Amino acid sequence: MTISLKPNNSPSEKLQPTGWLKYLSFSLDHKVIGLQYLICGFLFYLVGGSLAGAIRVELISPLSDFMPREVYNQVLTLHGTIMIFLWIVPVVNGAFGNYLIPFYVGARDMAFPRLNAVAFWLIPPSGLMLITSYFINGAAQSGWTAYPPLSITTPAAGQIIWILSVLLLGGSSIFGGINFIATILKLRRPGLKLMQLPMYCWAMLGTSILVVLSTPVLAGTLILLSFDIVAHTGFFNPSLGGNVIVYQHLFWFYSHPAVYIMVLPAFGLVSEILPIHSRKPLFGYTTMVFSIMGIVVLGLVVWAHHMFTSGTPPWMRLFFTIATAFIAVPTGIKFFNWVATLWGGKISLNAAMLFSCGFIINFVLGGITGVALAQVPFDVHVHDTYFVVAHFHYIVYGGSVFVIFSSIYHWFPKFTGKMLNENLGRFHFIITFIGFNLCFAPQHWLGLNGMPRRVAEYDPQFQLINQISSVGALLMAISTLPFLWNIFQSILYGDDAGNNPWDALTPEWLTSSPPPVENWEGEAPLVLEPYGYGEKDSNNTQEEMK
Amino acid sequence: MTSIVPKEQSSESKKSLSTEEHEDFRMFGLVAFLIADGMTFAGFFAAYLTFKAVNPIGPDAIYELELPLPTLNTVLLLVSSFTFHRAGKFLEKNESKQCQKWLLITGSLGLAFLISQMFEYFTLPFGLTDNLFASTFYALTGFHGLHVTLGSIMIMIIWWQTRVPSGRVNNENKFPFEAVELYWHFVDGIWVVLFIILYLL
């Protein structure tokens, strides 16, 4: 048997439709599946973004006048669920992971191509099911956390549909994680050592470990919750002797690591993009690897910092405060390594680079408020206020979503063989960055002054700040237009990119754009030093590339 | 050191993955899946133990459980692990008839476990919604029973696939056999933990 894993699958592959139709079919090609994840995720991003817009419209005035309170709660729940489970997690993991990991390990495909396709095709039906629940007796109203007893007492149909779709999405995520672990650890081409892998492989390995360890716990918890709703058992129902705090522990055992499931791949993607566009080797490769693994370990033991106001005993508060604050150490290492990578480099300020730099700025701001929130007295003060909203939007939007855009600008030439328009891209970045900061920075002030989250009505003194925030949200909505225009324009009329427009050294650029079905026409190249930019001994200095 | 080794210099790259390495990564994926599955059980166990530690978990919960049937179940599963192992030994020696015999015994033990558990359910004095203890008891044992059911079905499939002239599982292609065996040992191991936590603690 050769190194190609395709022989078993190629006969059916030959019968697959070509052209754009292949993106609507059950393909086993990891590149097609990756783009399916990306496109599907982006469509759900538009839905979730519209819901966010509806929230911001409601909050322009202090009264609940744009939509009824139940509808507001449903919109809020759908917004959170869609953005986390259908946009960021599938895209940073599924889309870029599927597209890039086989290239990075020198394989023709993922370890389990069929499982991979199944993992993707679980997503569109469960997402559509989640959205249609809005029209059937009302969608879930209890927020993306679905805390009991609220989730047990609100109308059951929407909540059950919510649980089913999150279970399916969790299953998809576990299948993906198993696939990534087996691919990265066991499918590396001979001669390629672990410590020679590009950083995104390490990030995906860490993420997949988190997925495999924590997502099943969420699945089990949601199964118990659905029993409570359907069969009237008493796991989380205090009137039957149940305990809601146990739900919170189990839920956050998944959902805190979920933050790292969203940002660790983003860290990896940024570590790929920064060296290429500043023509310098990645600074501190080994420390980057160990900081990822440090974040994985710490990420698993800090979940109860979401529960400082849930009656946790003092020893628990102390432990989780310290453990949470410690995460700043590996994250800080990564931050300083990125800055050191930029330091003295030949930086080209294209859209990919701008979005990555925007990520670094936003992520530091979000990280600083995170350290503040880890401290019990401060957390008790701002718990369930807009300060928390601002904090996690700085992490998941300012972090992950900025990186998704950065990665799209960076890898679009590889996906399609066409270049994106850089000026439109920079324009997109500027509106997004201003809109994002205008939307979420003022919310810190709202939270510090006590405006609670998840309510449609608020004290009139907060109106001006909320209006500023809504203007920022409008800018973010508008920023999607130049991006979409750029994508359509470039696919139809864009300049040809060539195989390696960025003069990059990572393996996906050493094949044609878009790549052939089996990734390389001949033997896969053995890339032992993916970050060898501008070094003396390297035969790949920028001058020689040109 | 050059960044990209040219094709003709990389003698190592000519090396192709052997069959063992292929089974290696499939087994690796299976282990990752079992770890995920084990985490589901871990979540359930943690929930049960916390309920037990902080809540009045139901009237005389511990005294309502009788030990003979679950002990019999434990023995059934442990013996079935052993018989599966025996079947594997015969598969290695290419003695398909013997292998099938031991697989049949293993599958029957799995079914016996399920019948015995069903019998236990009917004799228990409490139902699913009676109290928190009852809920957690049925959730844990039921989820494990689901695993035993799936495992028994897979054993029957493997049994069908090891038949001599036309079966697809043999000494050359024994990954399906080993995968089911690992899964079965995993389910047995979970039962031992469950038995200790539910019945003995």
Side-chain angles (χ1 to χ4, degrees):
Chain A
M1 192 174 279
T2 63
I3 194 166
S4 164
L5 291 168
K6 272 299 173 58
N8 297 330
N9 311 319
S10 344
S12 60
E13 200 81 42
K14 296 281 190 301
L15 300 174
Q16 293 283 330
T18 50
W20 62 271
L21 266 177
K22 71 182 170 190
Y23 295 106
L24 292 173
S25 64
F26 188 82
S27 175
L28 299 179
D29 184 353
H30 71 99
K31 298 179 288 296
V32 174
I33 295 174
L35 291 181
Q36 283 174 332
Y37 267 108
L38 184 63
I39 296 162
C40 174
F42 193 80
L43 294 177
F44 281 116
Y45 170 64
L46 295 179
V47 177
S50 313
L51 295 170
I55 293 172
R56 285 321 312 176
V57 170
E58 168 64 60
L59 292 176
I60 285 176
S61 72
L63 295 173
S64 172
D65 44 9
F66 179 63
M67 47 187 155
R69 284 172 211 167
E70 293 77 31
V71 177
Y72 181 83
N73 290 342
Q74 289 168 358
V75 165
L76 190 105
T77 306
L78 282 178
H79 165 68
T81 314
I82 288 173
M83 287 306 202
I84 289 169
F85 293 115
L86 290 162
W87 159 236
I88 298 179
V89 171
V91 170
V92 288
N93 290 283
F96 295 109
N98 273 313
Y99 202 96
L100 298 174
I101 294 290
F103 283 110
Y104 285 178
V105 298
R108 305 271 178 201
D109 206 330
M110 299 286 285
F112 310 105
R114 284 191 181 80
L115 185 71
N116 205 14
V118 169
F120 168 72
W121 283 105
L122 282 174
I123 291 178
S126 46
L128 290 176
M129 186 167 79
L130 183 72
I131 293 169
T132 45
S133 75
Y134 179 82
F135 304 101
I136 308 165
N137 201 12
Q141 297 179 24
S142 50
W144 83 278
T145 53
Y147 274 6
L150 187 59
S151 52
I152 299 172
T153 49
T154 47
Q159 197 68 46
I160 284 293
I161 293 175
W162 182 89
I163 289 174
L164 276 177
S165 65
V166 173
L167 277 178
L168 288 174
L169 294 167
S172 152
S173 170
I174 293 170
F175 292 157
I178 291 169
N179 220 337
F180 287 129
I181 292 180
T183 307
I184 294 169
L185 289 183
K186 289 291 172 187
L187 226 58
R188 286 195 318 283
R189 69 169 301 170
L192 184 62
K193 294 196 186 72
L194 270 177
M195 291 305 273
Q196 290 164 332
L197 287 174
M199 193 53 63
Y200 183 59
C201 285
W202 279 103
M204 282 308 296
L205 185 62
T207 310
S208 303
I209 292 171
L210 283 177
V211 166
V212 164
L213 289 181
S214 63
T215 316
V217 178
L218 177 76
T221 315
L222 292 181
I223 289 170
L224 295 185
L225 186 67
S226 62
F227 280 154
D228 273 5
I229 296 170
V230 176
H232 303 290
T233 52
F235 300 112
F236 308 123
N237 190 347
S239 61
L240 293 173
N243 191 331
V244 293
I245 305 294
V246 173
Y247 177 86
Q248 295 186 15
H249 274 294
L250 293 172
F251 179 82
W252 287 113
F253 184 79
Y254 165 74
S255 294
H256 186 77
V259 175
Y260 299 104
I261 293 169
M262 290 184 269
V263 297
L264 275 183
F267 287 177
L269 291 167
V270 165
S271 306
E272 299 303 331
I273 292 165
L274 290 182
I276 291 174
H277 294 292
S278 56
R279 312 308 308 169
K280 275 190 67 195
L282 183 71
F283 187 88
Y285 179 92
T286 317
T287 52
M288 288 292 238
V289 170
F290 281 101
S291 62
I292 284 175
M293 292 306 154
I295 291 171
V296 168
V297 173
L298 286 170
L300 279 170
V301 297
V302 299
W303 73 89
H305 67 220
H306 294 267
M307 301 162 59
F308 282 154
T309 58
S310 305
T312 42
W315 66 266
M316 208 185 251
R317 287 174 162 194
L318 185 67
F319 170 78
F320 284 103
T321 294
I322 293 170
T324 307
F326 257 120
I327 294 184
V329 176
T331 320
I333 289 172
K334 298 195 80 68
F335 166 73
F336 286 115
N337 279 353
W338 288 322
V339 174
T341 304
L342 293 175
W343 190 273
K346 292 180 187 166
I347 295 172
S348 46
L349 279 180
N350 50 31
M353 188 65 165
L354 283 171
F355 269 105
S356 280
C357 293
F359 154 82
I360 295 177
I361 295 165
N362 296 332
F363 197 80
V364 166
L365 291 170
I368 289 169
T369 51
V371 176
L373 282 168
Q375 313 308 316
V376 178
F378 185 77
D379 182 75
V380 170
H381 177 65
V382 296
H383 182 81
D384 260 343
T385 67
Y386 263 84
F387 192 88
V388 180
V389 177
H391 160 71
F392 71 67
H393 279 93
Y394 262 87
I395 299 288
V396 296
Y397 195 101
S400 305
V401 181
F402 269 64
V403 173
I404 292 172
F405 283 130
S406 174
S407 309
I408 290 174
Y409 282 106
H410 181 73
W411 275 289
F412 188 83
K414 183 48 64 181
F415 294 160
T416 60
K418 305 277 187 177
M419 293 302 282
L420 280 170
N421 184 328
E422 281 300 332
N423 286 331
L424 269 175
R426 292 192 191 103
F427 181 59
H428 173 213
F429 168 75
I430 290 167
I431 312 182
T432 313
F433 191 75
I434 294 174
F436 167 77
N437 279 293
L438 197 61
C439 183
F440 293 109
Q443 292 182 1
H444 290 109
W445 188 91
L446 288 176
L448 286 171
N449 284 280
M451 177 173 162
R453 63 175 173 150
R454 294 182 173 176
V455 285
E457 296 165 11
Y458 55 88
D459 194 290
Q461 62 161 313
F462 299 125
Q463 188 173 12
L464 179 65
I465 306 286
N466 268 306
Q467 283 169 342
I468 293 172
S469 188
S470 293
V471 171
L474 179 68
L475 273 181
M476 285 160 79
I478 291 171
S479 78
T480 318
L481 299 177
F483 175 70
L484 283 174
W485 173 251
N486 201 351
I487 295 281
F488 288 124
Q489 176 85 5
S490 300
I491 287 177
L492 293 177
Y493 313 111
D495 300 337
D496 277 340
N499 292 346
N500 193 353
W502 313 121
D503 288 340
L505 300 178
T506 34
E508 81 274 22
W509 298 102
L510 304 175
T511 182
S512 60
S513 313
V517 172
E518 301 219 325
N519 291 356
W520 291 279
E521 291 295 349
E523 193 80 9
L526 183 60
V527 177
L528 297 177
E529 210 185 328
Y531 301 113
Y533 301 100
E535 284 177 332
K536 269 184 193 163
D537 296 341
S538 167
N539 61 357
N540 287 294
T541 54
Q542 195 188 8
E543 288 70 30
E544 285 189 47
M545 296 292 287
K546 288 190 171 165
Chain B
M1 182 177 179
T2 56
S3 298
I4 300 161
V5 179
K7 282 174 205 167
E8 51 277 9
Q9 283 181 15
S10 58
S11 57
E12 269 184 304
S13 66
K14 296 280 194 294
K15 207 178 92 184
S16 58
L17 281 175
S18 65
T19 315
E20 291 91 81
E21 276 168 312
H22 263 276
E23 294 197 349
D24 196 27
F25 89 74
R26 289 193 290 183
M27 195 52 96
F28 204 82
L30 179 69
V31 170
F33 170 75
L34 291 182
I35 290 172
D37 207 6
M39 284 306 290
T40 321
F41 277 106
F44 282 155
F45 291 155
Y48 174 80
L49 291 173
T50 319
F51 286 138
K52 205 175 162 65
V54 302
N55 283 20
I57 200 163
D60 302 322
I62 200 75
Y63 305 108
E64 290 176 3
L65 292 175
E66 286 177 8
L67 278 176
L69 268 179
T71 314
L72 172 71
N73 281 344
T74 313
V75 174
L76 284 176
L77 280 191
L78 288 179
V79 172
S80 76
S81 257
F82 171 74
T83 55
F84 209 137
H85 184 70
R86 292 289 297 170
K89 288 280 175 218
F90 283 113
L91 188 74
E92 274 174 19
K93 285 189 255 169
N94 269 329
E95 294 181 31
S96 292
K97 278 273 174 287
Q98 289 289 324
C99 172
Q100 280 203 301
K101 190 183 86 185
W102 284 103
L103 271 178
L104 198 59
I105 297 174
T106 313
S108 314
L109 286 168
L111 287 179
F113 172 89
L114 288 171
I115 293 166
S116 155
Q117 196 170 40
M118 205 76 81
F119 193 69
E120 187 193 4
Y121 280 4
F122 283 123
T123 54
L124 283 173
F126 50 81
L128 178 66
T129 54
D130 279 5
N131 56 40
L132 184 57
F133 171 78
S135 300
T136 41
F137 174 84
Y138 282 114
L140 276 171
T141 53
F143 192 57
H144 181 265
L146 187 69
H147 279 74
V148 177
T149 313
L150 290 177
S152 302
I153 293 171
M154 287 195 288
I155 288 172
M156 287 304 141
I157 293 171
I158 289 295
W159 172 73
W160 181 247
Q161 291 290 4
T162 44
R163 71 194 190 283
V164 191
S166 51
R168 279 188 291 175
V169 176
N170 48 44
N171 198 20
E172 278 74 51
N173 178 29
K174 58 181 177 181
F175 172 74
F177 185 93
E178 286 175 340
V180 178
E181 182 175 359
L182 188 63
Y183 176 82
W184 192 251
H185 291 323
F186 165 79
V187 172
D188 293 351
I190 292 285
W191 172 260
V192 173
V193 180
L194 198 148
F195 179 66
I196 293 169
I197 290 178
L198 270 181
Y199 293 93
L200 301 184
L201 277 187

